[in-house]
Amino acid sequence: QRVLSEEELDQVRALAKPAAKPARISRLHRFIWLLMETGSRAGALRELTWDQVDLEEGFLSLNPYGRTQTNKRRPTIPLTDALRPILERAFEERQSEYVLDHPGQIRKTFEKFIEKHKLEDVTAHTFRHTFGTRLAQNGVSMVEIAALMGDQLVTVEKNYLHYRPEYLRGAINMLAARPKSVLEAAIPSLV
């Protein structure tokens, strides 16, 4: 699956930079920031309401009160330092109970943005996969990635473990921890 490079993410951040006040942050730009900074599924973000956003404590509860968790779990996750000011301003500018103004589709608007800026093979899911990949590349544990993404551990391991730069290093170095006498007996000319 496609993973956005750091340069591409910087490009998207620049393109989705909120307009200067008094203009409002567009629905599309709020959506893109949420995709980049939460790794959440598009449906959860479209349905996100302000009562699920705790700006004081810095958390998003992606599963609304009363909604039964499904196999595609919606976790509670901390806000990133980059997302928090976007949401604080969006909260000041809110026009409804929904973070994205309403729960309707945004796919066509998103696709036009992607096409206009020549971001090839990028979908909303690309941001989710990029989020998980970048966490793994930065040494975040599979358990923590699963918790942040609302995925089963086995799914996260299947999709992201190979991106973890040192994930087999400890296992292979266990060989070096063997007593010297074992090594001497096995390969006397090397010791």
Side-chain angles (χ1 to χ4, degrees), residues 52 54 58-63 69 73-79 147-150:
Q52 294 170 253
D54 185 340
F59 285 93
L60 283 182
S61 179
L62 291 165
N63 198 50
Q69 284 282 19
R73 292 181 9 247
R74 295 184 179 185
T76 296
I77 58 174
L79 297 177
L148 287 169
M149 297 183 75

Side-chain angles (χ1 to χ4, degrees), residues 102-163:
H102 60 83
Q105 286 294 333
I106 193 168
R107 191 188 65 186
K108 288 191 188 301
T109 306
F110 177 78
E111 287 172 352
K112 286 178 187 173
F113 173 88
I114 296 300
E115 185 178 320
K116 176 182 176 182
H117 298 293
K118 297 177 176 50
L119 296 165
E120 297 197 19
D121 300 320
V122 175
T123 65
H125 189 76
T126 304
F127 287 94
R128 180 172 172 77
H129 187 61
T130 299
F131 181 83
T133 300
R134 290 180 66 229
L135 289 171
Q137 289 171 333
N138 285 287
V140 176
S141 77
M142 295 295 114
V143 171
E144 289 171 305
I145 295 171
L148 287 169
M149 297 183 75
D151 279 340
Q152 301 273 335
L153 182 58
V154 67
T155 302
V156 169
E157 287 175 340
K158 180 181 84 175
N159 291 323
Y160 303 109
L161 187 60
H162 63 282
Y163 289 110

Side-chain angles (χ1 to χ4, degrees), residues 9-82:
L9 287 170
D10 286 343
Q11 177 189 2
V12 173
R13 286 182 192 104
L15 293 168
K17 182 180 177 187
K21 290 182 178 183
R24 199 168 169 256
I25 301 174
S26 74
R27 181 174 191 249
L28 175 63
H29 289 172
R30 282 177 274 150
F31 179 65
I32 290 170
W33 277 98
L34 285 162
L35 286 173
M36 281 191 297
E37 298 295 322
T38 68
S40 300
R41 294 176 180 91
L45 297 177
R46 285 194 328 269
E47 296 171 6
L48 186 66
T49 58
W50 285 111
D51 64 344
Q52 294 170 253
V53 180
D54 185 340
L55 290 170
E56 189 173 313
E57 296 297 323
F59 285 93
L60 283 182
S61 179
L62 291 165
N63 198 50
Y65 179 76
R67 179 186 176 275
T68 303
Q69 284 282 19
T70 64
N71 286 339
K72 293 187 175 185
R73 292 181 9 247
R74 295 184 179 185
T76 296
I77 58 174
L79 297 177
T80 65
D81 292 341

